[in-house]
Amino acid sequence: MKNYPPSIKDFIDFGKSGGIFFVHCPERYVLKTMKGEISALSDGDNGVEVCFFDAGENKNAVTEAIGTASEITLFATSRVVVLDIPEKISDADQKALERYIDSCETTNFLIVFLSEIDKRLKFFKSLQKLTKIYFPVPLPSTVELKNFI
């Protein structure tokens, strides 16, 4: 990692085709800075539409985010849907995300930020094997942490 906190662009190339991406980081500050970068994508006339959903505030956020990411964009070149899951994920939401992995809209991006995961679950064991869509944010080294502070 070049610096701390990392950029969302270190993990996802927005110039390529979309899909679903999972970013796991227990540090809420890192996720907040990444959301700020994503929000800046919609600035200007680049044709990117950005939508945010928070599963901590809305229990239907996963379903709504998947629905929004599945829609074809009419007035934008692509849509970036950000889903923040600050707690452990429910079984129904896991199944919905599993289904979306297999049938995601390739012009849109669904970025799922995970703060807490239960590594014993089959969903996360299989997700960790998908290195093109699952990105754990490593903890900073001592040097990076000193530079950050």
Side-chain angles (χ1 to χ4, degrees), residues 9-81:
K9 294 176 183 174
D10 293 339
F11 303 104
I12 301 169
D13 184 359
F14 291 101
K16 294 186 178 179
S17 63
I20 184 169
F21 301 94
F22 295 85
V23 179
H24 172 237
C25 181
E27 264 316 306
R28 299 297 297 165
Y29 175 76
V30 173
L31 298 180
K32 182 179 176 182
T33 58
M34 287 183 179
K35 285 186 220 174
E37 286 182 74
I38 293 170
S39 181
L41 290 174
S42 66
D43 294 345
D45 295 328
N46 59 2
V48 177
E49 180 183 336
V50 179
C51 307
F52 290 92
F53 295 91
D54 189 345
E57 296 175 3
N58 178 1
K59 65 180 181 177
N60 297 322
V62 173
T63 306
E64 292 173 8
I66 290 172
T68 303
S70 298
E71 296 172 354
I72 296 173
T73 58
L74 297 176
F75 301 108
T77 56
S78 68
R79 180 180 291 145
V80 178
V81 179

Side-chain angles (χ1 to χ4, degrees), residues 19-22 55 61-67 69 81 83-85 87-104 110-114 123-124 126-127 130 133:
I20 184 169
F21 301 94
F22 295 85
V62 173
T63 306
E64 292 173 8
I66 290 172
V81 179
L83 174 61
D84 187 9
I85 303 177
E87 323 167 324
K88 293 186 177 162
I89 189 169
S90 71
D91 291 339
D93 291 342
Q94 285 177 32
K95 289 178 183 170
L97 288 169
E98 285 174 349
R99 284 191 303 271
Y100 188 72
I101 288 172
D102 296 330
S103 63
C104 59
L110 175 58
I111 302 171
V112 181
F113 287 118
L114 303 164
F123 174 71
F124 288 109
S126 61
L127 187 62
L130 302 172
I133 66 168

